Amino acid sequence: MKKVLITGKNSYIGRSFKAYVEANYPSEIQVDSISVRGDAWQEYDFSSYDALLYVAGKAHADVSNVSEKVKQEYYAINKNLAVAVAKKYKSERNGFSQFIYLSSIIVYGQKVTQITAATQTNPENFYGDSKVQAELALRPLGNSEFQVLLIRPPMIYGPNSKGNFPILVKLAKKSPIFPKVVNQRSMLFIDNLNEFIKQLIIKQQISNIYFPQNREYVGTAKLVQVIREVQNKNIILLPGFSGFIHLLMKKSNKFGVYASKAFGSLVYEKRLSTIDEIKINDYQVLDFKESIRRSI
């Protein structure tokens, strides 16, 4: 029996992982979760936990026009608090332990389309930079007993998820027509992520950067098509918009940003998502279409 502590009990990933483990692996993993808001967490005993999953964080939002105070909140939560929690865990825990930090594909920015092992981080805003700075501060804490595992997931989706996915679902439900633009995105269904984290813990994976993703890439038009299919609705994909949309994506204004988010390509090279102990197929809980059905 592995004991896991989630810091960030109200986070989407934290709640999802706890529910997933309790439903599927109650005899293998015991999960507790706490809030790290305020100072009460500093009195909590971390010593009995085999792994700590840090999913507290200030979520990605509109970063185009925020105050300096708000920017500093990203660093305070995504970096400084993560380091403080990691140091406390390391000081209290004896024996093999894993500190698992949820970073993001956002650390690479939007100018790259395919991420390989050689791709360097290149954050374009303070949210992405706060994740990079957290990774840089956490990695030196690792040693043979204290493993620091950094996960950089692509866009996560699932039931009641937040971010760009529910916006796209809302659009797909209303619109029977959508531009046929060819692009590719790495995505990650929440239970595929939950299964991946579970296997990291059970198989005692060591300090590294991890890149879980769904088995298949998906284009935006295909995603909208599947959303409508699972609702038994037809869709017309209109060709002829690619030139206009790609021109729009080159703009540096907010329309260019939105176009890039909706129709740009951003994928992890598939081999990044397989490691010696965990192959990409090992954590695919559902196929893509069924995962969309469960998520909308």
Side-chain angles (χ1 to χ4, degrees), residues 22-37:
E22 290 176 346
N24 296 283
Y25 303 105
S27 63
E28 294 183 57
I29 300 180
Q30 175 190 324
V31 178
D32 297 325
S33 57
I34 62 170
S35 171
V36 285
R37 293 180 180 232

Side-chain angles (χ1 to χ4, degrees), residues 24-267:
N24 296 283
Y25 303 105
S27 63
E28 294 183 57
I29 300 180
Q30 175 190 324
V31 178
D32 297 325
S33 57
I34 62 170
S35 171
V36 285
R37 293 180 180 232
D39 297 324
W41 66 270
Q42 297 180 28
E43 305 302 318
Y44 195 87
D45 182 6
F46 289 0
S47 63
S48 65
Y49 293 97
D50 301 288
L52 188 150
L53 178 60
Y54 187 91
V55 290
K58 192 164 179 63
H60 191 195
D62 184 3
V63 296
S64 59
N65 185 25
V66 298
S67 67
E68 189 62 32
K69 180 181 178 182
V70 170
K71 290 181 182 180
Q72 291 309 310
E73 288 176 1
Y74 277 82
Y75 289 95
I77 298 171
N78 294 343
K79 177 199 170 187
N80 299 343
L81 183 58
V83 172
V85 170
K87 287 182 175 179
K88 173 178 166 60
Y89 180 40
K90 182 178 180 180
S91 69
E92 295 182 4
R93 172 70 180 173
N94 290 317
F96 184 89
S97 55
Q98 296 170 301
F99 181 86
I100 304 172
Y101 178 80
L102 261 292
S103 186
S104 171
I105 198 172
I106 198 72
V107 300
Y108 295 103
Q110 294 290 333
K111 293 182 175 67
V112 62
T113 57
Q114 184 184 54
I115 297 163
T116 71
T119 306
Q120 300 296 307
T121 58
N122 185 29
E124 295 181 3
N125 55 52
F126 54 87
Y127 170 68
D129 187 59
S130 71
K131 292 290 190 178
V132 171
Q133 296 306 316
E135 291 185 7
L136 292 173
L138 289 168
R139 293 179 74 175
L141 298 177
N143 57 35
S144 60
E145 291 289 284
F146 189 75
Q147 307 296 323
V148 176
L149 290 73
L150 308 173
I151 302 178
R152 294 176 180 169
M155 185 177 77
I156 296 168
Y157 67 98
N160 303 311
S161 59
K162 298 179 180 179
N164 294 328
F165 179 75
I167 296 173
L168 193 60
V169 170
K170 187 175 181 179
L171 176 63
K173 287 180 176 180
K174 291 183 176 180
S175 177
I177 301 173
F178 198 80
K180 186 178 182 180
V181 178
V182 177
N183 69 321
Q184 288 187 318
R185 286 276 178 170
S186 290
M187 295 177 62
L188 183 59
F189 178 53
I190 184 63
D191 277 352
N192 291 348
L193 173 60
N194 291 332
E195 178 62 26
F196 181 78
I197 295 172
K198 175 261 179 183
Q199 293 197 29
L200 288 179
I201 295 167
I202 292 296
K203 297 180 179 181
Q204 295 190 323
Q205 294 300 300
I206 61 174
S207 295
N208 210 335
I209 302 174
Y210 296 90
F211 310 90
Q213 63 179 326
N214 287 354
R215 184 185 296 108
E216 56 278 280
Y217 300 142
V218 63
T220 307
K222 177 65 175 178
L223 175 56
V224 171
Q225 184 178 32
V226 172
I227 290 170
R228 290 189 65 84
E229 278 181 7
V230 299
Q231 293 186 305
N232 297 315
K233 294 179 179 179
N234 295 323
I235 186 169
I236 299 172
L237 296 177
L238 293 179
F241 284 86
S242 293
F244 170 73
I245 289 175
H246 283 103
L247 184 64
L248 192 61
M249 287 166 58
K250 294 179 180 179
K251 303 292 185 181
S252 58
N253 56 28
K254 65 179 181 179
F255 298 106
V257 172
Y258 293 148
S260 294
K261 285 183 177 181
F263 296 103
S265 291
L266 183 60
V267 300

